[in-house]
Amino acid sequence: MLLALGLVVYNTAANRWAPFRGWAYVPLNLGATAVVVWIGAGPLGLDAASMGFGAGWGTDALIGIGIGAVLAVSVFVAALVPRTRRFVADERVRGLSGWGLAYRMLVRVPVGTALLEETAFRGVLYGALLPHGMTAAALGSAIPFGLWHVSPTLNLVEENRPGAAARATAAAVIGAILMTTLVGIGFAAMRDATSTLGVPLGLHAALNSLATLAAALAVRRTTRDGQFH
């Protein structure tokens, strides 16, 4: 539980630090990943398999990438349809193209986001709680995963809806917590079904990376149509 609390505090504080939204994101999160693995292997006494990196996790990750690519189709459809485009568009990717967009899709998201989150929540936390039962492991990893998204959601609202009312911001944060907690439970079920974190890791990385591309497409379309500023 101390690890879960530490993860939530880390992400809450880091996301409110301006450099973390830029150059510091990947190196800090890689460092955090290393610390989480050290805690898992050291104080918590987990081996690689218990942390989700057992035999076959690489193959499972490829399966997850395939699932993520299929799920991303609906995001691209939403980005192309004028009525739903604004729900996909994200000001944080405005102006990204070429190497900048490639870096975000191939490094920042899979290495800086998915690797840390899956190693921490579906890897070490889940593995540490599993002796208490699958339900405890699923909820004990999913609830802090939901709380992990408080600061990122605040950043999202500030960038895309500056000046939003406090009630609207609170609704966005609560909605994000509930949604990501449910996602965390689903990812935990995948971890349980395969005994590795490969599927949730691959799915997470692929879906978020492709959603970034869809967001960039939506921003360009809405800007062209004069619908989004």
Side-chain angles (χ1 to χ4, degrees), residues 6-203:
L7 286 166
V8 173
V9 170
Y10 163 74
N11 204 49
T12 300
N15 270 278
R16 307 309 290 172
W17 182 49
F20 189 73
R21 306 180 201 183
W23 66 267
Y25 186 83
V26 172
L28 256 66
N29 278 354
L30 276 176
T33 302
V35 170
V36 168
V37 170
W38 175 82
I39 292 172
L44 295 178
L46 302 176
D47 59 17
S50 298
M51 289 188 282
F53 292 101
W57 79 269
T59 301
D60 290 342
L62 293 176
I63 295 172
I65 290 171
I67 297 172
V70 171
L71 293 177
V73 171
S74 62
V75 184
F76 280 97
V77 170
L80 293 172
V81 175
R83 190 169 293 181
T84 58
R85 190 175 296 151
R86 64 189 180 89
F87 297 111
V88 180
D90 187 345
E91 281 289 334
R92 294 175 298 179
V93 298
R94 179 180 292 279
L96 285 182
S97 61
W99 288 110
L101 185 58
Y103 172 79
R104 187 170 285 253
M105 291 179 60
L106 300 177
V107 179
R108 182 183 173 94
V109 171
V111 177
T113 300
L115 181 62
L116 169 57
E117 293 183 6
E118 295 311 315
T119 300
F121 296 105
R122 261 63 64 183
V124 175
L125 266 182
Y126 183 94
L129 291 168
L130 191 55
H132 301 285
M134 195 275 176
T135 299
L139 293 177
S141 58
I143 292 172
F145 181 61
L147 296 174
W148 171 274
H149 288 84
V150 170
S151 274
T153 303
L154 290 174
N155 291 344
L156 177 68
V157 172
E158 289 172 0
E159 290 290 336
N160 289 280
R161 297 290 181 267
R167 180 176 297 180
T169 300
V173 170
I174 293 170
I177 292 172
L178 293 175
M179 182 184 72
T180 51
T181 297
L182 290 174
V183 168
I185 292 172
F187 280 179
M190 294 176 191
R191 161 77 198 266
D192 179 67
T194 61
S195 298
T196 80
L197 54 69
V199 172
L201 175 58
L203 193 163

Side-chain angles (χ1 to χ4, degrees), residues 81-83 85-86 221-229:
V81 175
R83 190 169 293 181
R85 190 175 296 151
R86 64 189 180 89
R221 291 294 183 93
T222 50
T223 300
R224 184 195 65 186
D225 297 342
Q227 298 173 339
F228 191 84
H229 302 282

